[in-house]
Amino acid sequence: MTDPKNAAKIAPVVRRALIVDPNVASAKLIADLLKGLGAREVVLESEEKMALEICRDLDPGVIFVEHAGPRLSGESFTRRLRRSHLGCREAPVIMVTAEATGSAIKGARDCGVHEFVRKPFTVGDLLKRIEMLATRPRDWIEAVGYVGPDRRRFNSEGYKGAGKRRTDVAAKVAPGAAKDQAMRILASALNQFDSDPTQALRSIREQANALKQLALKAADARLAVNVAALETILAGPTPTKAMLAEPVGRVLDLAEPDTFTRTG
């Protein structure tokens, strides 16, 4: 079914799994596949609210969710999971649906889903998605408007061409692109602070850490010093937008020209 190296990578991902699907036959097919791959605990649920509660106790390594059903919106479930404080908030999510329309695929991508599979599916279809999750992990994006895996590698099941953007090169092999992206997200998080302070703070912390790592690798003393000043504010009592404006601004002053549009 899969080679030994991939099987070793898949095992920890599928060890504990949650399937959120009101269609019993579909859920059982997925469960049987996961058990065949070594899953030790597979929980089936049909309702969004209960599924989120189960996530707290189960801490799944992978989640399958139906796009829509009675008392279930796969997009809403994924958004709520991504913005939660649950330990599994970054767990891979695979959305399944019989209605694989363009809007459904776009909605899945924009809510933070990792992979998308159309019903009826085969065991091979599901295995391909699980192997992708285990062997080709994607960068995590912690912004305000979007929380989830990097959407540039989302499987739309349609597009087969080359990368659309210069920055389609993975950030881990393109430090300049990674820095630009962190700067853009940092600026956006400060601009959107009033609309969602909790997620904005989470995003700012994530970008500060990313920029610190990049500064250390590049021996960029100016960036390291300014990020350290920002982290000092973040480490204190819950900071306000006014408290963050100056240290964030100093970091953003080190961005490359045209990285983003400054507002405010």
Side-chain angles (χ1 to χ4, degrees), residues 8-199:
K9 294 180 179 179
I10 288 172
V13 175
V14 303
R15 185 172 292 121
R16 293 186 304 278
L18 172 63
I19 302 170
V20 191
D21 192 338
N23 185 313
V24 177
S26 172
K28 286 185 175 180
L29 175 59
I30 298 171
D32 288 343
L33 168 67
L34 295 174
K35 290 175 182 177
L37 293 174
R40 298 178 183 176
E41 188 173 3
V42 180
V43 177
L44 278 57
E45 181 51 58
S46 62
E47 298 183 11
E48 179 179 337
K49 181 179 179 181
M50 287 300 300
L52 287 166
E53 293 180 5
I54 289 170
C55 282
R56 181 172 289 101
D57 297 325
L58 180 65
D59 191 25
V62 65
I63 301 170
F64 286 81
V65 62
E66 165 62 52
H67 180 260
R71 296 179 294 281
L72 170 65
S73 164
E75 292 181 16
S76 171
F77 167 84
T78 306
R79 286 195 189 91
R80 293 171 67 185
L81 174 69
R82 298 306 189 210
R83 293 169 182 275
S84 72
H85 292 283
L86 295 171
C88 62
R89 62 185 292 266
E90 296 185 20
V93 175
I94 299 177
M95 183 172 285
V96 295
T97 182
E99 299 296 328
T101 62
S103 61
I105 293 172
K106 183 178 184 299
R109 180 199 69 181
D110 292 344
C111 73
V113 163
H114 279 75
E115 297 288 336
F116 187 95
V117 62
R118 178 184 297 132
K119 293 180 179 180
F121 48 77
T122 65
V123 171
D125 293 330
L126 295 181
L127 180 58
K128 178 181 177 182
R129 301 304 190 279
I130 295 171
E131 286 185 329
M132 184 75 73
L133 297 175
T135 62
R136 297 181 61 189
R138 291 156 63 184
D139 293 332
W140 186 259
I141 306 299
E142 192 76 54
V144 178
Y146 174 76
V147 183
D150 192 329
R151 290 176 287 187
R152 288 172 293 183
R153 282 180 53 190
F154 186 82
N155 177 19
S156 65
E157 297 188 338
Y159 182 70
K160 304 296 183 183
K164 298 179 182 179
R165 291 178 278 185
R166 173 177 55 84
T167 52
D168 277 351
V169 177
K172 61 185 177 183
V173 296
K179 179 182 175 182
D180 288 350
Q181 177 170 267
M183 289 288 192
R184 287 195 299 271
I185 296 175
L186 182 61
S188 177
L190 185 64
N191 290 337
Q192 299 180 64
F193 194 96
D194 293 334
S195 65
D196 191 344
T198 299
Q199 183 57 36

